[in-house]
Amino acid sequence: MTQLDDMQYFLANAWWLGLGVAMLLYIILDGADLGAGIFGLVVGDHDERGAIMAAMAGTWDANETWLIVAGGILFGTFPFVYGSAFHYLMVPMAFVLWGVMSRAVAIEFRHLASEKWQRFTDWVFGLSSLTVTFFGGMSVGALLQGFPLVHEEGKLPYYAGGAFDFVSAFSIWTGIAACVAVTLSGVLFVRARFEKTERIRQDAARWTATIFWLAIGSVLITLVWSAAIFDWARSTWFGPHFWLWGIFGLVALWCIEQVRRDTLKDRDLAAILWYNGAVLILGLGMLITLHPWLVPGTWTIREGASPQVSLITFTMTMGGFLPVMVMYNWYQIWVFRARISKLVAYEHH
């Protein structure tokens, strides 16, 4: 593999950060849609389920674009990692892909179907949201554990393990924890999008307290488990700069406390913004912990980066794309910011 000079290594680190930011934006933005879909599984009213889909109809496709952006960055700047990691995660990523496509079909075709088939699309939408979240979270846990590579002279390192090596107690747990955290994001989204007099908004408010504490417990268990089984996490968090990680933790806890206070005061927009702030802080903390690893114990940024010509070309052609995406997302959110009622369910359009 080609050695990178200082400038190319700087570009590789910049795209590593861009990859992390794209994933965090996907988790924050589409996480609310996924969580609302999961919440829809327990919503009994036909029109309310349709209204949940209508609530995200103007933004869901842009939110999912961040997943494509992350995949594009990984393919364009870290192709060796892309090839081996997707081989390792072929099974869970197939389920994620199935879920993403099924969600799109369900949300776009609900208003074209009869009431019987609308109930079917509602279930497809909820179950596919659950599938994307669980297997996506499971994939993250599997990547944190790393995977073995085969090194042969004259060949690029490649994954030669089994199709189900990604399955472990930790990866199953991260899938479950992702479902809990995303469901909290979903009920906060429903609270912020629906009129306060709507029953579905009141139901979401009742669900918030329980899911809030489950989400906190899930995060704490994940952090403790990570510190227990990963040397790279334990040495960083409890090393000479432990005080820095203490600050990260305190700021995240402060954001979470603001979520709790604002939900009790029915400040729905503030609550979801504080929640996203906590996700952003925890996510950035994990990115800093991982550096210089892309996949712990398997690929570093330097080892996994594209050859220098491709890296520079990718930067020149795609460097301005991320700010455009951010502005596009912000514009859509601003346009569709008003609260709605269940009367916006697709069949009433």
Side-chain angles (χ1 to χ4, degrees):
M1 286 178 283
T2 306
Q3 292 296 316
L4 305 179
D5 61 27
D6 290 342
M7 176 56 71
Q8 290 142 8
Y9 185 55
F10 172 80
L11 291 177
N13 276 275
W15 280 113
W16 166 82
L17 180 61
L19 173 63
V21 169
M23 285 304 303
L24 285 174
L25 286 173
Y26 172 74
I27 291 169
I28 288 172
L29 295 171
D30 202 46
D33 297 346
L34 290 167
I38 295 172
F39 176 66
L41 291 172
V42 299
V43 173
D45 186 272
H46 176 76
D47 288 342
E48 289 178 345
R49 292 194 302 271
I52 288 176
M53 293 189 192
M56 62 187 75
T59 56
W60 71 269
D61 50 351
N63 296 341
E64 287 190 347
T65 304
W66 286 107
L67 187 61
I68 300 172
V69 171
I73 292 174
L74 186 62
F75 178 80
T77 58
F78 304 104
F80 312 127
V81 183
Y82 181 94
S84 59
F86 275 84
H87 189 184
Y88 169 53
L89 299 174
M90 184 179 299
V91 173
M93 286 292 100
F95 279 104
V96 169
L97 181 59
W98 172 85
V100 169
M101 292 188 298
S102 298
R103 290 179 76 236
V105 171
I107 199 171
E108 292 295 347
F109 282 87
R110 186 184 196 272
H111 66 291
L112 300 175
S114 64
E115 185 172 334
K116 174 184 176 181
W117 285 102
Q118 285 177 349
R119 288 194 293 269
F120 175 74
T121 61
D122 293 347
W123 278 102
V124 169
F125 185 74
L127 291 175
S128 58
S129 298
L130 188 63
T131 299
V132 171
T133 305
F134 177 76
F135 284 101
M138 199 174 182
S139 298
V140 172
L143 284 176
L144 291 178
Q145 292 181 297
F147 55 89
L149 292 175
V150 176
H151 296 266
E152 293 182 2
E153 187 174 353
K155 294 183 178 180
L156 292 173
Y158 62 92
Y159 173 71
F164 296 95
D165 287 359
F166 71 94
V167 179
S168 68
F170 181 75
S171 66
I172 292 172
W173 166 252
T174 54
I176 294 171
C179 291
V180 174
V182 160
T183 302
L184 175 58
S185 180
V187 294
L188 292 175
F189 171 80
V190 170
R191 288 178 59 140
R193 287 292 282 130
F194 283 85
E195 297 286 351
K196 292 187 178 182
T197 56
E198 288 290 314
R199 186 182 64 179
I200 186 173
R201 190 263 174 199
Q202 296 166 2
D203 290 341
R206 283 192 292 270
W207 275 79
T208 302
T210 301
I211 300 175
F212 175 83
W213 293 111
L214 287 175
I216 291 179
S218 298
V219 171
L220 290 176
I221 291 172
T222 304
L223 291 175
V224 171
W225 198 338
S226 298
I229 65 175
F230 299 136
D231 291 337
W232 52 268
R234 186 169 56 252
S235 61
T236 300
W237 294 341
F238 301 105
H241 301 293
F242 69 92
W243 56 271
L244 177 62
W245 303 105
I247 293 175
F248 263 96
L250 289 174
V251 174
L253 284 173
W254 185 73
C255 289
I256 292 169
E257 172 61 16
Q258 297 307 307
V259 174
R260 188 187 69 84
R261 291 188 177 187
D262 285 330
T263 55
L264 292 175
K265 297 177 181 179
D266 281 347
R267 296 173 181 171
D268 300 324
L269 178 60
I272 198 169
L273 290 176
W274 282 117
Y275 176 80
N276 290 338
V279 171
L280 186 63
I281 291 167
L282 291 172
L284 289 176
M286 182 57 73
L287 280 176
I288 296 171
T289 302
L290 283 170
H291 192 271
W293 293 104
L294 274 161
V295 180
T298 304
W299 285 110
T300 64
I301 296 173
R302 187 179 293 276
E303 293 170 344
S306 173
Q308 53 184 336
V309 174
S310 298
L311 187 62
I312 294 173
T313 302
F314 186 84
T315 302
M316 292 176 64
T317 55
M318 299 299 294
F321 184 65
L322 294 181
V324 173
M325 278 293 303
V326 171
M327 289 187 289
Y328 175 52
N329 265 126
W330 175 254
Y331 176 73
Q332 280 196 310
I333 292 170
W334 176 256
V335 169
F336 294 100
R337 67 189 184 277
R339 291 181 183 266
I340 61 175
S341 73
K342 76 173 187 178
L343 292 179
V344 303
Y346 278 164
E347 61 269 29
H348 292 298
H349 282 184

